[in-house]
Amino acid sequence: MEKTTDVLLLTMNSSEKQETVCIFGTGDFGQSLGLEMLQCGYSIVFGSRNPQMSSLLPNGAEVLSYSEAAQKSDILIVAIHREHYNFLTELTEVLNGKILVDVSNNLKIKQYPQSNAEYLAQLVPGAHVVKAFNTISAWALQSRALDASRQVFVCGNDSKAKQRVMDIVRSLGLTPLDKGSLMAANEIENYPLQLFPMWKFPFYLSAVLCVFFFFYCVIREVIYPYVYEKKDRTFYLAISIPNRVFPVAALTLLALVYLPGVIAAILQLYRGTKYRRFPDWLDHWMLCRKQLGLIALGFAFLHVLYTLVIPIRYYVRWTWTNRTIAQAIAKKESPFSTSTAWLSDSYIAMGMLGFFLFVLLGITSLPSVSNTVNWREFRFVQSKLGYLTLILCTAHTLVYGGKRFLSPSSLVWYLPSAYVIALIIPCTVLVIKFILILPCIDKTLTRIREGWERNPKFSESALNGKTDI
């Protein structure tokens, strides 16, 4: 009896998978999607303006004219460009009541006043238009490189039509995400055209930091010696100055990863509730923390690479050789300083440990890794170990300064060293964080984040829009 039931279920599933789907268009995407659907058990009919010319289609697929293909299925995938939609008006009667899946994208954002899917719905008012598959590329379908792009946004005005399309998406091993009505098609079509949308602010900020610190170091280490000592140190521009810019930029960006969390905690303590929105700039800043951290890690890698080449630089070898010769001629030797050795070893040790934890943070932020850990583990690494990384990197910089940190002799035109400026934000973040974890403050903050409110009536009026947020 069980075997008979299993056979019946298999028969039913196979019959469901033999559903016929029509694809208008025989381009790269239409061919790739058709092949994928054929492998999943669907019967595919291609609609083409020149059926006889279509010789590169997957084996097992039927090729007909548009009107003939439209009659074979009640689900039609429109894999053609918007400028070629006009022929669909001739098929209005055939397409009446059928599902049209629009997979098109534009060449640039806001290329047309309305989305392609809404335009298609106007051309064929009797059809149920659904927007889907536009975030998946033909190359990804062909190579099965779908690890980072399995999500398919779906929108449409007819819930049953959307459900049928989402069933097809699932059968292809993809993940459908319902974005609502067809009004969301504009946003969905703009999504593939955005170039690193969450990276713009981090890129601009890191560029500003690099430019600022670069010219700051040029003034101190190239222009000042030339003006007062007539020394040409322009060769510093290749190695020395970048090796000062990269670490201070990395430390500053790492501190900026944790600064918005500190600001958010202060706002929650001040307001006495978690039920009020943060300012838009703070929301956007918090969403960009991962990108800021990865760029900071990139600068840290550059700092490590530049540091490793220091012994093979001509200037360093020349300096060491001359110093050795001068000591030999004068028959003098430099006395060993235990305190200096401790500072040097501590500086290197904290730098290595900080860089190791920095790399660990970067690895954990990768989707393939973060998906394998639970929320508590991810939070432990990104928060607890993240602050430990910030402490080690800040201490690494402080020890590097050593006795020169606040020495007047280190000032050039009353300008301190670049690493002194880079310590302002990290030290501020760590001091405020230390205050926030004090038991008396941490207890109140924890209660607020668990739902407690200092003034519930005020919070309720804020939620109702009676109070400015």
Side-chain angles (χ1 to χ4, degrees):
M1 184 66 181
E2 292 180 357
K3 292 183 178 180
T4 305
T5 305
D6 293 339
V7 172
L8 288 174
L9 288 174
L10 289 172
T11 306
M12 291 173 63
N13 291 335
S14 62
S15 62
E16 289 176 359
K17 286 190 176 182
Q18 285 301 320
E19 180 182 11
T20 300
V21 176
C22 174
I23 299 178
F24 279 180
T26 56
D28 292 338
F29 186 82
Q31 293 181 37
S32 302
L33 185 59
L35 176 60
E36 197 68 21
M37 295 181 73
L38 277 170
Q39 294 175 346
C40 291
Y42 288 93
S43 177
I44 301 299
V45 177
F46 282 95
S48 174
R49 55 186 173 182
N50 297 313
Q52 296 79 13
M53 301 292 293
S54 304
S55 58
L56 299 176
L57 297 178
N59 294 329
E62 189 177 4
V63 187
L64 303 172
S65 64
Y66 288 129
S67 59
E68 293 174 334
Q71 298 174 7
K72 293 280 187 176
S73 174
D74 58 349
I75 298 182
L76 299 95
I77 298 175
V78 184
I80 56 179
H81 294 289
R82 174 178 176 143
E83 52 267 25
H84 303 306
Y85 282 177
N86 293 332
F87 79 94
L88 295 171
T89 56
E90 303 173 0
L91 307 175
T92 302
E93 294 183 2
V94 179
L95 300 177
N96 188 37
K98 296 192 175 186
I99 300 173
L100 293 184
V101 184
D102 178 56
V103 302
S104 64
N105 283 317
N106 294 319
L107 297 177
K108 58 183 180 180
I109 297 177
K110 296 181 180 179
Q111 184 174 356
Y112 300 103
Q114 63 180 166
S115 66
N116 295 345
E118 291 174 303
Y119 174 66
L120 181 59
Q122 288 183 358
L123 286 179
V124 192
H128 305 298
V129 177
V130 178
K131 186 73 183 184
F133 291 113
N134 69 303
T135 55
I136 303 294
S137 67
W139 176 84
L141 289 171
Q142 293 173 359
S143 61
R144 302 299 299 165
L146 296 168
D147 292 339
S149 58
R150 289 188 176 275
Q151 202 169 60
V152 176
F153 298 128
V154 181
C155 72
N157 295 331
D158 187 274
S159 58
K160 292 183 179 179
K162 276 196 301 183
Q163 190 58 50
R164 291 191 63 183
V165 175
M166 291 170 71
D167 289 340
I168 294 176
V169 173
R170 292 188 188 95
S171 68
L172 298 180
L174 305 173
T175 304
L177 179 62
D178 191 345
K179 298 290 286 185
S181 69
L182 207 59
M183 294 179 62
N186 203 5
E187 176 188 353
I188 295 175
E189 290 175 5
N190 288 334
Y191 180 79
L193 301 176
Q194 296 176 356
L195 184 62
F196 303 116
M198 297 305 298
W199 288 84
K200 289 183 179 179
F201 171 69
F203 274 140
Y204 290 149
L205 179 60
S206 59
V208 169
L209 284 175
C210 287
V211 170
F212 169 76
F213 282 118
F214 181 82
F215 283 105
Y216 187 89
C217 292
V218 167
I219 292 173
R220 280 180 47 89
E221 302 186 31
V222 177
I223 297 178
Y224 179 83
Y226 181 78
V227 171
Y228 285 94
E229 303 173 11
K230 299 302 178 181
K231 291 183 178 179
D232 183 7
R233 291 185 176 174
T234 53
F235 61 90
Y236 275 22
L237 296 174
I239 300 292
S240 297
I241 291 181
N243 201 29
R244 284 166 174 72
V245 172
F246 294 146
V248 298
L251 181 59
T252 303
L253 289 174
L254 180 62
L256 291 176
V257 171
Y258 295 96
L259 181 58
V262 170
I263 296 175
I266 294 174
L267 280 176
Q268 288 178 336
L269 285 170
Y270 173 75
R271 294 169 173 176
T273 180
K274 71 171 185 178
Y275 297 110
R276 292 183 64 187
R277 287 186 58 85
F278 295 130
D280 291 339
W281 58 268
L282 183 57
D283 271 337
H284 184 70
W285 189 355
M286 295 182 75
L287 291 174
C288 293
R289 288 181 295 179
K290 174 182 175 180
Q291 289 77 10
L292 285 170
L294 291 176
I295 293 177
L297 178 59
F299 284 133
F301 264 111
L302 288 173
H303 172 50
V304 171
L305 293 175
Y306 272 67
T307 302
L308 291 176
V309 303
I310 286 178
I312 64 174
R313 293 178 60 200
Y314 168 75
Y315 172 72
V316 174
R317 290 186 286 111
W318 177 85
T319 302
W320 287 351
T321 301
N322 281 5
R323 185 178 300 171
T324 302
I325 294 174
Q327 289 179 345
I329 294 175
K331 297 182 179 180
K332 292 183 179 180
E333 63 179 24
S334 299
F336 180 80
S337 173
T338 304
S339 60
T340 302
W342 262 110
L343 285 174
S344 176
D345 287 0
S346 300
Y347 156 73
I348 296 173
M350 285 185 289
M352 290 190 298
L353 290 174
F355 181 68
F356 169 76
L357 292 178
F358 213 153
V359 173
L360 182 62
L361 292 176
I363 294 175
T364 311
S365 66
L366 297 174
S368 57
V369 178
S370 60
N371 291 337
T372 62
V373 297
N374 60 37
W375 170 244
R376 187 176 182 182
E377 294 168 342
F378 181 80
R379 185 177 179 182
F380 172 79
V381 173
Q382 293 295 325
S383 181
K384 301 296 190 297
L385 294 186
Y387 273 105
L388 179 59
T389 304
L390 182 60
I391 291 172
L392 286 172
C393 293
T394 304
H396 171 71
T397 308
L398 283 168
V399 175
Y400 169 77
K403 299 177 181 179
R404 304 167 298 167
F405 184 66
L406 297 177
S407 174
S409 60
S410 65
L411 299 178
V412 173
W413 280 333
Y414 302 101
L415 300 176
S417 299
Y419 66 85
V420 176
I421 298 177
L423 284 168
I424 296 175
I425 298 179
C427 291
T428 302
V429 172
L430 292 175
V431 169
I432 298 176
K433 182 62 178 179
F434 175 76
I435 296 173
L436 290 175
I437 62 176
L438 293 175
C440 56
I441 298 178
D442 181 63
K443 184 178 179 180
T444 303
L445 184 59
T446 301
R447 291 180 63 196
I448 290 173
R449 289 175 174 174
E450 290 177 350
W452 176 80
E453 299 175 82
R454 185 184 303 121
N455 190 345
K457 293 183 179 180
F458 174 79
S459 179
E460 183 179 353
S461 63
L463 289 172
N464 293 331
K466 298 179 181 179
T467 303
D468 293 335
I469 297 179

